[in-house]
Amino acid sequence: MSYPARVERAAEWRIEPEHWDAAIADVNGPQLVVAGPGTGKTEFLVRRALHLVRSGAAEPGELLVLTFSRRAAADLRRRIEEGLTRSAAPVPASTFHSLAYRLLETYAADGHQMPALLTGPEQVELVAELLAAEETTSWPPSSRHLLGTRTFAEEVADFLLRAQEHLLEPADLRRRSADHEGWSRLPEFVERYQHELEVRNRIDYGALQARAVAKLADPEVAAAVGDRHRYVLVDEYQDTTPAQARLLDLITAAHRNLTVAADPYQSVYSFRGAELRNVERFPETFRAADGHPARRLVLTRSFRVPADILDAALRVTDPGVLPGAAGPVTPAPHPGRATAHVFHQQTAEAEWIAAETQRLHLEEGLSYREMAVLVRTKRRFLAELSRALDRRAVPHDPPDGRLVDHPAVRIVLDCVQACLPHPETDSAETDLAVRRLLLGPLFALPLSVERDLLRVRRTGGGSWAELLQGQVEGGDALAALIADPSWATERSAADGFWHLWASLPQLAAAVLGPARADHRAALSSLSQTLDRQAERDSTLTLLDYLHTAQAEDFEATPLLGYRPRHQDRLTLTTLHQAKGLEFEVVFIADAVEGVFPDLRRLRTLLEPRLLSPHQSAEPAAAARFRLQEEMRLAYTAITRARKMVVMTATEAGIDEGEYRPSRFLAAMAGVARTDQLGPPPAGEGRPVTYLEAEAHLRRVLVDPAQASGRRLAAAQLLARRPNPGLRPVTSFAMVRPRGPDQGLLPDELTLSPSQAESYERCPRLYAFEKRLGVGDPPSHYLTFGSVIHAVLESCERAAMERRDHHARIDEALTALDDLWPLLDFGDGAHQQAWHRRAQQLLATLYSNWLRPGARPVALEHPVELELGGVRWRGRIDRVEEIEPGRLRVVDYKTSKTPPTKADAKASLQLGFYLLAARRDPDLAGLGDPVEAELWYPLLGRLFPFDPAELDGIEARLNTAAESILAERWEPRVGKDCQRCPVRLVCPMWPDGREAYAR
């Protein structure tokens, strides 16, 4: 074949698009296809596979296409099979792990059962179990205190995987541990771990590939596999581990028909064992049959990434520092844009991204699926962004979108948790699970009923099974499940789930309604996940699944999704998960130092990176390596975009701690420092939604710099009704629609004079305080008044029984001291201050008794009066005999604020007492009530009522009763408005008027 001119470096050809056909047709021998972003390395492999089948060089089944995720493998298989014009056998396209598993299945020893594959969380659980049983003193001092922690178990599990990816046996680790004190106990632990795997017939992902390599070391097995797969195609070769590179070496040893595609700048998985040097060493490792190094083909033109975006990516990677470039890439011809913005608040960053995605969708016609927001970690920014997107109704997958977080699946997991006996689980966790079930859609119990059950549970110690039996409607089924938890702890997870479904009828009822389609889909996905788990390991129970689900990194990945597949949704994902995807527009959000670049993975105790012979133990070299990988991650993320990429960050504020905008922002934007960046200009672009148009009109309306005509026009547009584009005023914060004024009164209404006085001051305040219970909470002043009334009633009743005119001061102070220890007025100083005030009041009252010639005849005397069909009730503090046949009504006031004489003369309360006393049968035999007074003991003063006002008092009481019965609650401005506790919701005042829709 003829290639374009060969460059100076040996065995390398730069391939322009017009030379692809010739390069693709040259199928024999080892070839490394090095390709920059969007240059078509995956397309190159697909077209080579199609050429091999169409030319008759190989049957579809003789190909082997490998990549690193099931999604990518399925996509490769689909693209190849769609390109074949004739019916053909399926193309073997899979991941490296799937290939290794099939190899072990195919060439396992006769009669030997294939071990069950451990998931990542399951491996951590096993490691944690073994570490907990370790002898503490046998471990290095640096790790002894960590043996019981999940964090250390995760580190050890990761170390085990990395060691097997480097094909290291315990003996190899024993030799290596001489230079690493922290590894001294690991060789023995690896042997114990491997023995436990054999006993349990389990295998982890690292051992899966190591055993496959060991199996292929048998020349007969390698020859058989090589004969079956005569052509091997590998995508994303820069992500291979040493074990995977060795696997390819053994499979292709006989024919070396191996084509791998790689972009060294997209090598971002070193923390998972990827070895970038595999790309560099490929020509030597995979020499052709004639001994020549493998050919290196470089794809030169990007079909996706335009010049501005490619230049921005290169500025971030700093080619002078970062090794392994694919060489110059000719950018795509279409225009592109790369920008960076720094915001003052994270909410502003999230709101702008949400608004910009909506603007691009509406104004430029981009579908949401053509856009993505990428973050370094899902734990920081996505919750805020999701809320901003929800406010704009932008469809997206929420950050808590794991299957195990779905409400329907949580019901199943709560049922499992409810069945766990002590000390299997914390009783508080079990109680919480049962309470969620009782309050949730299965039973929908009122909170009071649930609280009563919980109280009995905690005080009586009974089991939930006993409490639910016969006491909760429909609770017998759940009680039976709790009483016999074998369905969750012994059966396979799939069988346990179906037992739960068949035994708990409320579960089906909760998800079968027309509004619960997502619940049905979620449980279908759960069922499929459990079925696949049973196929992998039938001994795993629902309890095992619960423990796995509680692991923070667990993510269920059912093939059957529970969200609509074809819905136009904005992609929210991490930078790593976006690898291999492409979008028209990409936002790289939350790019702050400490998060992106993230150098924290250097801070590990066991440092598994040192298992690679190419890694240096020097801190500076380690930091440089980690920063280089973060540069490659930024490069990969930026080059996902076809038209526009935007990187954003929030500058450090009170809520941001040490975080500062990432160095990558300045590099991508081509500026020297991040302080040269800021938010997009305010008001940039035209409003594209009703919400934005309304906000724009409101800004114009209140902006004094705007021309008066524009402000008037904005006001007219905002005031125009009906206008479906404008939000109702009740949608604004703190604004509620005016509620009904009726329905506040009980069926049987009884009033008091204090209520009438309250209504006269302000009907609206009366409705809030007396009918709705809204207003100032009980205060020390009210308590103080009650105490004084109780003391006076006690000592004055004793005086009345002695037929004295009044009690003595010593009796009053003794009654006060007897009562005071039962009261709480705050700390010691406040308690003493109120005590002194009470003593002062009593001393003032009894040292200069206001009416020394009168004798009490009734105390705290209840009275009733019916006026106009309304019942009135009250309680008179004191009725005393002025002279034979003449009575006086007295009302104590403990306040220091006296009324005016005019107010006292027409006091509604005293007038009512006088009217009621004159008609009271109990007082009729004692005399004629002719006077009424307010006593203010702290002031040493009294204020008399004018009996000539009685006719007016009765009219006022009738008016108040009629108005209350008619439920007229209009506000009334008066001298007490400044102290009103509900002024913030009173439409008579500016600070309350905004709370009501007109």
Side-chain angles (χ1 to χ4, degrees), residues 51 57 224 319 359 404 465 513 532 549 582 594 707 709 740 805 820 844 930 933:
H51 172 80
R359 184 192 69 79
V404 295
R532 289 169 54 202
E582 63 178 57
H805 289 84
W820 200 258
T844 302
V930 295
E933 293 176 344

Side-chain angles (χ1 to χ4, degrees), residues 559-580:
L559 292 177
L560 176 60
Y562 63 94
R563 296 188 180 90
R565 290 188 176 184
H566 303 296
Q567 185 178 5
D568 186 18
R569 307 176 75 87
L570 178 70
T571 298
L572 307 185
T573 189
T574 64
L575 301 172
H576 282 97
Q577 290 172 341
K579 187 173 180 291

Side-chain angles (χ1 to χ4, degrees), residues 300-336:
T300 59
R301 185 174 299 174
S302 178
F303 301 99
R304 179 178 70 237
V305 187
D308 286 349
I309 295 178
L310 188 59
D311 290 345
L314 291 173
R315 286 194 297 271
V316 169
T317 52
D318 189 358
V321 174
L322 195 62
V329 174
T330 302
H334 62 268

Side-chain angles (χ1 to χ4, degrees), residues 519-760:
H519 284 57
R520 295 196 300 275
L523 289 184
S524 295
S525 292
L526 174 64
S527 174
Q528 186 197 56
T529 299
L530 298 179
D531 285 340
R532 289 169 54 202
Q533 179 176 274
E535 293 173 1
R536 184 172 54 84
D537 183 358
S538 61
T539 66
L540 293 174
T541 66
L542 273 176
L543 176 59
D544 298 325
Y545 186 83
L546 172 65
H547 290 160
T548 303
Q550 290 171 338
E552 184 177 2
D553 60 347
F554 175 72
E555 172 64 272
T557 54
L559 292 177
L560 176 60
Y562 63 94
R563 296 188 180 90
R565 290 188 176 184
H566 303 296
Q567 185 178 5
D568 186 18
R569 307 176 75 87
L570 178 70
T571 298
L572 307 185
T573 189
T574 64
L575 301 172
H576 282 97
Q577 290 172 341
K579 187 173 180 291
L581 303 177
E582 63 178 57
F583 305 91
E584 296 295 299
V585 176
V586 168
F587 298 89
I588 303 173
D590 193 34
V592 294
E593 289 289 330
V595 175
F596 187 43
D598 174 15
L599 306 178
R600 291 171 297 177
R601 282 201 176 93
L602 295 171
R603 305 167 192 166
T604 60
L605 182 64
L606 298 180
E607 294 189 287
R609 64 182 182 83
L610 297 180
L611 291 169
S612 171
H614 311 298
Q615 291 282 350
S616 170
E618 295 180 5
R624 183 169 58 252
F625 175 83
R626 182 65 188 151
L627 179 58
Q628 287 175 353
E629 181 152 283
E630 290 291 287
M631 288 179 177
R632 291 194 290 268
L633 184 59
Y635 175 92
T636 301
I638 292 170
T639 55
R640 297 307 91 203
R642 285 178 51 86
K643 291 184 177 179
M644 183 174 74
V645 60
V646 185
M647 191 177 291
T648 63
T650 299
E651 62 184 359
I654 295 176
D655 60 341
E656 284 294 301
E658 63 182 4
Y659 295 115
R660 297 290 185 275
S662 170
R663 68 194 77 178
F664 293 158
L665 267 83
M668 197 186 87
V671 299
R673 304 182 312 275
T674 55
D675 59 11
Q676 296 176 257
L677 300 173
E684 180 179 320
R686 299 172 301 169
V688 295
T689 66
Y690 283 125
L691 188 65
E692 290 179 355
E694 180 185 337
H696 172 73
L697 291 173
R698 293 185 182 279
R699 285 195 299 268
V700 171
L701 178 62
V702 299
D703 185 359
Q706 293 285 340
S708 59
R710 283 177 58 81
R711 298 178 67 186
L712 179 60
Q716 290 176 335
L717 288 171
L718 289 169
R720 182 182 299 166
R721 291 293 187 273
N723 190 334
L726 293 181
R727 291 175 293 171
V729 69
T730 53
S731 68
F732 289 89
M734 303 304 294
V735 178
R736 296 294 182 267
R738 188 185 295 275
D741 290 342
Q742 308 298 313
L744 271 64
L745 300 180
D747 294 336
E748 295 184 7
L749 178 64
T750 300
L751 298 177
S752 67
S754 63
Q755 289 188 40
E757 287 185 334
S758 175
Y759 185 85
E760 282 193 337

Side-chain angles (χ1 to χ4, degrees), residues 739-786:
D741 290 342
Q742 308 298 313
L744 271 64
L745 300 180
D747 294 336
E748 295 184 7
L749 178 64
T750 300
L751 298 177
S752 67
S754 63
Q755 289 188 40
E757 287 185 334
S758 175
Y759 185 85
E760 282 193 337
R761 283 194 301 272
C762 179
R764 190 176 198 81
L765 179 60
Y766 167 81
F768 274 113
E769 289 188 326
K770 303 300 183 181
R771 295 301 162 192
L772 297 176
V774 176
D776 290 333
S779 67
H780 292 330
Y781 292 96
L782 292 176
T783 305
F784 178 78
S786 299

Side-chain angles (χ1 to χ4, degrees), residues 511 530 556 802 836 871:
V511 301
L530 298 179
R802 298 193 306 264
R836 288 193 299 270
R871 185 183 300 274

Side-chain angles (χ1 to χ4, degrees), residues 408-422 424-426 429-434 436-437 442 478 481-501 504 507 526 530 541-550:
V409 178
R410 291 309 311 176
I411 291 175
V412 175
L413 298 182
D414 279 340
C415 289
V416 176
Q417 181 74 51
C419 294
L420 301 187
H422 308 307
E424 176 73 37
T425 184
D426 180 9
E429 287 295 323
T430 298
D431 288 348
L432 187 59
V434 177
R436 285 195 295 262
L437 292 172
L442 296 190
L478 181 59
L481 289 167
I482 295 175
D484 181 11
S486 59
W487 62 274
T489 60
E490 297 177 13
R491 296 190 184 188
S492 72
D495 288 345
F497 172 67
W498 285 113
H499 179 78
L500 174 66
W501 178 266
L504 191 63
L507 182 58
L526 174 64
L530 298 179
T541 66
L542 273 176
L543 176 59
D544 298 325
Y545 186 83
L546 172 65
H547 290 160
T548 303
Q550 290 171 338

